Amino acid sequence: MSEIKILIVEDEQKVARFIKLGLEDHDYHVDVAFDGKIGLLFFQQTDYDLILLDVNIPEINGFDLCKRIRTVNQKIPILILTALGLTDHIVEGFESGADDYLVKPFEFRELLVRIKALLKRTLNQDQGTKLLTADDLILDRDAKTVKRGNKQIELTAKEFLLLEYLLLNKGKVISRVDIAEKIWEINFDTGTNVIDVYVSFLRKKIDYGFESKLIHTVVGMGYTIREE
Amino acid sequence: MSEIKILIVEDEQKVARFIKLGLEDHDYHVDVAFDGKIGLLFFQQTDYDLILLDVNIPEINGFDLCKRIRTVNQKIPILILTALGLTDHIVEGFESGADDYLVKPFEFRELLVRIKALLKRTLNQDQGTKLLTADDLILDRDAKTVKRGNKQIELTAKEFLLLEYLLLNKGKVISRVDIAEKIWEINFDTGTNVIDVYVSFLRKKIDYGFESKLIHTVVGMGYTIREE
DNA sequence: ATTCAATTTTCATCTCATTTTAATCTCCCC
DNA sequence: GGGGAGATTAAAATGAGATGAAAATTGAAT
C-alpha cells in the first residue's frame, strides 16, 4: 500500500507543526509549505493526494492558490482551513474550488474525519480492484503477476508499473508527460525517451506473438490500451 | 441536461420546506421524507444524486440511516445537517459514512455551496466534459477518437486539437488569431496559412460525404461549428 | 568490499507519417 | 477584369516513434 501524501500550506509554524504531527501519527506523509508560492511549487513537483490550505498566507493567498491548482487539477481534494469564518468567506472558498472548508479553531479529530471523507472517494477509485484486465491479459496488483491467455509473463518493476498504469486507464489515451510524472516522477522535460523504450519492451512481452494487440500508439498524443 | 435529484430526510416541516424551496430555486428536484423509514423507502425507489439527512428523526435516526444507505451505495453523496454540533457528533456522522456535516443553524448559502462541492465530483466522474458532440459527430476527449454517425474517423494530433477547440466553442465564431494562439501557440502574424489548410483537412474527413456540414466559414471573421 | 547479473537509461539510427510551405485555383464583389 | 479572401493541392521539411545496442546503475550474493 503506497503512502498517502498530504500538502499543508500554512504560514503559522505552530499550527503547521501541530497538524503535521497529528497526521503523521495516522500514517500520512506530510509536507509543509510556508507560503503560497512554495505551496504551488510543491504541488507541481509532487503528486499529492490531498491539500490543506490556509487563506492568510504570504505571496499567494489561499483562495487564489486554490484557483490556480484547479486550473491544472480538478480532482485533487482541497480543504481550506482558516480563521475566516464568515459565510462570505466560506462561499468564496468553495467557489475557488475547495471541497471542504473548516474554520479555526477546530478540533483535530474533526479535521481528521473530514480528511478521511475526502480521501475516501479518490482512493476507492483506484484501489479496490485487485485484478486489471484487457482482453485475455490479467494483471494481479497484489501478487504482481501478469498472464496473457495461459502464458505467464515476467515483467520487471518498471514494466509492471507502466502496464498497471495503462490498464488503470484502459481506453484512455495517456500522454508521455502523464506517464513520466506517474511512473518516473519526472516533472519537466528531460529529453529522454525511456518511455518509448519501455513501451517497446512491454510490447515485446505482451503483444508480440499474439494476434490481437493491446498497446496502441496514438501519434502526437500518447499511448493507450484498447481491446479490439 | 437531466435534472439533479436531492432527497431531504427531515422531520421539522418548516426547515424541510425552507430548504426544499431554496434548492428548487436553484433548479434541483427535491423530495422530502419526514422520517427515517420513509427516507430509506424513497432512497430505494428513486435514483437520487445527493441526500441531506437530519439526525434526530423518527423511526431510524440519521446516523443509522446513513450506515444503512452506505451498505448498499458507497457513492452517493450524503450531507448530514443537524443541531448536534459537538465534535463527538461530527465524528460519529462521518464515521457513519457521511461526506459532509453541517451544524444548524446555518446560512442557506453555505449549504448550497457545500452541496455543489459534493455534486461536483460525482457528476464530473461520469461525463461532464468527456464527450463533445455536434449533430451526429462525437469526439471522445479521453479516448481521442472521433465518430460521425457510425463511421470511425482517424484524425492526426493537430486535426484533433483543432476539432476539439472548435467543438468546445460550438456556435461561436472563432478567429484565426484565436486558433493560432490556442492550437499553434503562434502569438504574432507569421503570414502562414496552416489554419486554412487544416480546416480543409478536417472538412475532408468530417464533412465530405455527409449531407449536413458542420464546419462553416464566416468570411472575414473565422470559423465555426454549427448544427443545422 | 568485489563481482556479476539484471534492470534501467541513454544514444544513435531508421522509417514514415505529420506538419508546413508555397503555388494555384475558385468565387464573389467592385 | 482585377483584387481579395478563402480553398485546395502537391511537394518539401520536420518531427515523432520504434528499435538495437551499449553504457550506467542497482542490488544481491559471495
Side-chain angles (χ1 to χ4, degrees):
Chain A
M1 169 101 57
S2 79
E3 212 171 23
I4 293 173
K5 292 195 283 282
I6 295 178
L7 172 63
I8 303 177
V9 188
E10 162 74 79
D11 64 329
E12 292 171 69
Q13 307 229 359
K14 262 192 175 170
V15 180
R17 189 165 174 73
F18 165 69
I19 299 173
K20 180 175 159 76
L21 290 176
L23 290 178
E24 282 173 349
D25 246 21
H26 288 82
D27 295 327
Y28 296 108
H29 175 273
V30 180
D31 289 345
V32 176
F34 292 111
D35 69 51
K37 225 168 169 176
I38 298 176
L40 188 59
L41 204 70
F42 275 28
F43 163 73
Q44 286 160 345
Q45 281 170 355
T46 310
D47 192 24
Y48 291 103
D49 297 293
L50 184 141
I51 300 178
L52 292 180
L53 288 185
D54 190 5
V55 176
N56 281 320
I57 46 177
E59 301 289 343
I60 308 175
N61 82 53
F63 294 147
D64 289 339
L65 179 54
C66 187
K67 285 181 207 154
R68 292 277 288 274
I69 292 171
R70 277 288 176 255
T71 60
V72 187
N73 184 329
Q74 283 84 52
K75 269 174 61 183
I76 187 166
I78 300 178
L79 193 159
I80 291 182
L81 194 61
T82 170
L84 305 176
L86 296 180
T87 301
D88 278 339
H89 295 134
I90 297 176
V91 169
E92 188 178 356
F94 278 104
E95 283 176 351
S96 303
D99 295 293
D100 201 352
Y101 192 106
L102 185 53
V103 178
K104 296 179 192 173
F106 59 91
E107 277 201 48
F108 185 76
R109 287 186 300 155
E110 177 169 358
L111 176 64
L112 193 64
V113 289
R114 285 189 179 273
I115 287 174
K116 276 190 193 158
L118 287 173
L119 289 172
K120 195 173 60 178
R121 267 162 301 179
T122 37
L123 291 188
N124 274 356
Q125 275 168 26
D126 283 1
Q127 283 175 351
T129 36
K130 176 167 128 77
L131 298 179
L132 302 174
T133 65
D135 197 68
D136 57 343
L137 179 94
I138 302 175
L139 178 148
D140 187 323
R141 303 179 76 190
D142 291 343
K144 309 287 181 201
T145 57
V146 175
K147 263 189 140 179
R148 173 121 200 215
N150 48 17
K151 188 186 171 203
Q152 191 74 31
I153 293 173
E154 303 295 335
L155 297 185
T156 69
K158 274 269 151 62
E159 287 166 357
F160 185 90
L161 283 176
L162 176 58
L163 180 59
E164 181 181 34
Y165 185 54
L166 289 175
L167 281 170
L168 278 169
N169 293 287
K170 183 168 66 174
K172 258 195 226 178
V173 175
I174 305 299
S175 71
R176 280 152 222 273
V177 174
D178 285 344
I179 296 174
E181 285 176 0
K182 277 280 180 191
I183 311 299
W184 273 268
E185 307 195 359
I186 295 171
N187 298 292
F188 44 93
D189 186 17
T190 62
T192 178
N193 74 331
V194 230
I195 295 167
D196 301 55
V197 174
Y198 265 82
V199 168
S200 178
F201 287 166
L202 264 189
R203 282 210 246 244
K204 249 181 228 153
K205 293 189 178 178
I206 73 169
D207 271 347
Y208 190 78
F210 296 88
E211 67 266 41
S212 85
K213 307 299 176 203
L214 296 173
I215 302 176
H216 301 265
T217 304
V218 183
V219 178
M221 320 215 87
Y223 295 102
T224 185
I225 285 196
R226 193 174 349 103
E227 306 152 29
E228 20 203 38
Chain B
M1 171 94 63
S2 79
E3 211 172 22
I4 294 173
K5 292 194 286 281
I6 296 179
L7 172 63
I8 304 176
V9 189
E10 163 71 79
D11 65 329
E12 292 171 69
Q13 307 229 357
K14 262 192 176 171
V15 181
R17 190 167 173 70
F18 167 69
I19 300 173
K20 180 176 158 75
L21 290 177
L23 290 178
E24 283 173 347
D25 245 20
H26 288 83
D27 296 325
Y28 296 109
H29 176 273
V30 181
D31 289 344
V32 177
F34 292 111
D35 70 49
K37 223 167 170 178
I38 298 177
L40 188 59
L41 204 70
F42 275 28
F43 164 72
Q44 286 159 344
Q45 282 170 354
T46 311
D47 194 20
Y48 291 102
D49 296 292
L50 183 141
I51 300 179
L52 292 180
L53 288 184
D54 190 6
V55 176
N56 281 320
I57 46 177
E59 300 290 342
I60 309 173
N61 84 49
F63 294 147
D64 290 339
L65 180 53
C66 187
K67 284 180 208 155
R68 292 277 287 274
I69 292 170
R70 277 288 176 255
T71 59
V72 187
N73 184 329
Q74 282 84 51
K75 268 173 63 183
I76 186 165
I78 299 178
L79 192 158
I80 291 182
L81 194 62
T82 171
L84 305 176
L86 296 181
T87 300
D88 278 340
H89 296 134
I90 297 175
V91 169
E92 187 178 356
F94 278 104
E95 283 176 351
S96 304
D99 295 292
D100 200 353
Y101 192 107
L102 185 55
V103 177
K104 297 181 194 173
F106 60 91
E107 276 201 50
F108 184 75
R109 288 186 300 155
E110 177 169 358
L111 176 63
L112 193 64
V113 288
R114 285 189 179 273
I115 286 174
K116 276 190 194 158
L118 287 174
L119 289 172
K120 192 176 61 179
R121 270 164 299 182
T122 37
L123 294 186
N124 272 359
Q125 264 171 35
D126 297 344
Q127 290 194 354
T129 56
K130 184 164 134 49
L131 297 180
L132 301 174
T133 64
D135 197 67
D136 58 343
L137 179 94
I138 302 175
L139 178 148
D140 186 323
R141 302 181 79 189
D142 286 344
K144 310 287 184 199
T145 57
V146 176
K147 262 189 143 180
R148 174 122 199 216
N150 48 17
K151 189 188 170 203
Q152 192 74 32
I153 294 173
E154 305 293 335
L155 297 185
T156 69
K158 273 268 150 61
E159 287 165 357
F160 185 91
L161 283 175
L162 176 58
L163 179 58
E164 183 180 35
Y165 184 55
L166 290 174
L167 281 171
L168 280 170
N169 293 287
K170 182 168 68 176
K172 264 192 229 169
V173 176
I174 305 300
S175 72
R176 280 153 223 271
V177 174
D178 284 344
I179 296 174
E181 284 176 0
K182 277 281 179 190
I183 312 298
W184 273 268
E185 307 192 1
I186 296 172
N187 299 293
F188 46 93
D189 186 17
T190 62
T192 178
N193 72 331
V194 231
I195 296 167
D196 301 56
V197 173
Y198 265 83
V199 169
S200 174
F201 287 167
L202 264 189
R203 283 211 247 244
K204 238 181 239 159
K205 292 187 177 178
I206 73 170
D207 272 348
Y208 277 39
F210 297 89
E211 66 267 38
S212 85
K213 306 302 176 200
L214 295 173
I215 301 177
H216 301 268
T217 304
V218 183
V219 179
M221 319 229 80
Y223 296 101
T224 184
I225 284 195
R226 191 173 357 97
E227 308 154 72
E228 23 203 36

